[in-house]
Structure formats: structure tokens, C-alpha cells
């Protein structure tokens, strides 16, 4: 861990704990890791949910944790075209910084990732960072 972090800080302790847990419990559907030089930025990869137009897709993104984490929600940015979320844009979901009133400090990185996977087959309905591509367009992106 970089020396620049105060390991007595509750947020830093929490991030270190989540990183250890995710590393010790690998999962086929997703993975997430903090950057070596910035524990407040994580990169994740998720598989598209089965039985949806995203099936067989692998999607990469960033989770940006605020310094007040876990008391404030993260930001979420996708880096892989998917037809549901805009690229390089902070996505508006009930688990992100756009809706801090819904965030629960008991939630963590794993919760965020599982929620994102659940949001894939939902409609964007005009949400910031949301896209409503057709199922055919999304299937094509999942194959590419």
C-alpha cells in the first residue's frame, strides 16, 4: 500500500478490507481492484448478465471513491461500449454520487458491482450517462 495513506483512517481501513476480500474471493461474474498508486480509484470488469442482450459481453469501468467513503457514495464510469451506459461519463444510478440520499455506508464495492449488473437490462429513462440502444445493438456490442 502506498505510504501516503493513513492506515488508521476508517475509510482507508475499509478500502483495504474490501480489496483483501475481493482478492481472496474471486468471482466469475466480476472482478475489481484498486489502483496501486490510488486506493480511491478502482477498476472493475463485469460479465453481461445471462439471458439478456448483454450476455457474453465483458465490460470495464472505473469506480471513484470519495475521501469520505464509505459515508458518501462512489462515482461510476464505463470504459467499454455496451449500449446501456455512456463511456467516460459519470453514470447516474441510485448507488452513485448523483443520489447520496439512497447510499448506505454498509454497502461496498461488491454491492456497487452487483447493482450495476442488475441495472444493465433496465431502461435508462433519460438518466445522466444512460443509453437506450436496441437489443440488437447491445448484442452486437457484447460480441465485439
Amino acid at each position: 500500500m502506498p505510504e501516503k495513506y493513513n492506515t488508521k483512517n476508517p475509510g482507508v481501513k475499509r478500502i483495504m478490507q474490501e480489496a483483501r476480500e475481493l482478492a481472496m474471493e474471486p468471482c466469475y461474474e466480476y472482478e475489481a481492484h484498486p489502483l496501486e498508486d490510488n486506493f480511491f480509484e478502482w477498476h472493475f470488469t463485469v460479465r453481461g448478465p445471462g439471458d439478456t442482450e448483454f450476455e457474453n459481453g465483458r465490460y470495464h469501468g472505473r469506480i471513484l471513491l470519495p475521501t469520505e467513503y464509505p459515508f458518501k457514495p462512489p462515482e461510476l464510469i464505463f470504459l467499454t461500449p455496451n449500449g446501456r451506459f455512456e463511456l467516460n461519463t459519470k453514470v447516474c444510478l441510485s448507488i452513485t454520487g448523483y443520489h447520496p440520499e439512497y447510499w448506505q455506508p454498509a454497502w461496498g464495492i461488491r454491492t456497487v458491482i452487483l447493482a450495476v449488473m442488475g441495472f444493465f437490462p433496465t431502461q435508462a429513462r433519460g438518466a445522466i450517462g444512460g443509453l437506450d440502444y436496441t437489443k440488437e445493438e447491445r448484442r452486437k456490442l457484447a460480441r465485439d
Side-chain angles (χ1 to χ4, degrees):
M1 179 179 82
E3 292 179 19
K4 66 182 178 182
Y5 297 109
N6 176 359
T7 57
K8 294 181 195 258
N9 176 294
V12 171
K13 281 183 174 180
R14 169 75 174 267
I15 292 168
M16 290 171 53
Q17 174 189 349
E18 289 190 50
R20 278 191 304 273
E21 287 173 2
L22 284 165
M24 290 175 32
E25 302 168 14
C27 180
Y28 176 78
E29 287 85 15
Y30 60 85
E31 64 179 87
H33 308 278
L35 296 182
E36 284 187 27
D37 63 344
N38 183 358
F39 269 25
F40 291 88
E41 180 175 340
W42 289 56
H43 281 241
F44 69 90
T45 302
V46 297
R47 293 187 180 275
D51 297 324
T52 72
E53 61 269 28
F54 302 99
E55 187 171 25
N56 300 319
R58 292 191 63 185
Y59 307 103
H60 183 87
R62 297 167 54 207
I63 298 172
L64 306 175
L65 302 175
T67 55
E68 302 89 354
Y69 181 81
F71 301 105
K72 290 194 176 178
E75 301 291 349
L76 187 70
I77 300 170
F78 273 89
L79 305 173
T80 307
N82 55 66
R84 173 57 180 90
F85 301 106
E86 285 185 45
L87 301 183
N88 302 309
T89 300
K90 291 179 181 176
V91 175
C92 177
L93 297 171
S94 58
I95 56 164
T96 67
Y98 281 100
H99 294 283
E101 68 276 15
Y102 295 124
W103 177 253
Q104 298 293 318
W107 295 346
I109 301 297
R110 186 184 318 269
T111 309
V112 170
I113 291 170
L114 292 172
V116 164
M117 293 169 67
F119 278 113
F120 261 97
T122 65
Q123 293 181 345
R125 296 188 175 144
I128 297 169
L131 298 172
D132 281 317
Y133 282 25
T134 65
K135 287 187 177 189
E136 293 76 27
E137 291 171 310
R138 291 173 172 178
R139 282 187 191 102
K140 182 179 181 329
L141 290 169
R143 287 190 304 263
D144 289 346

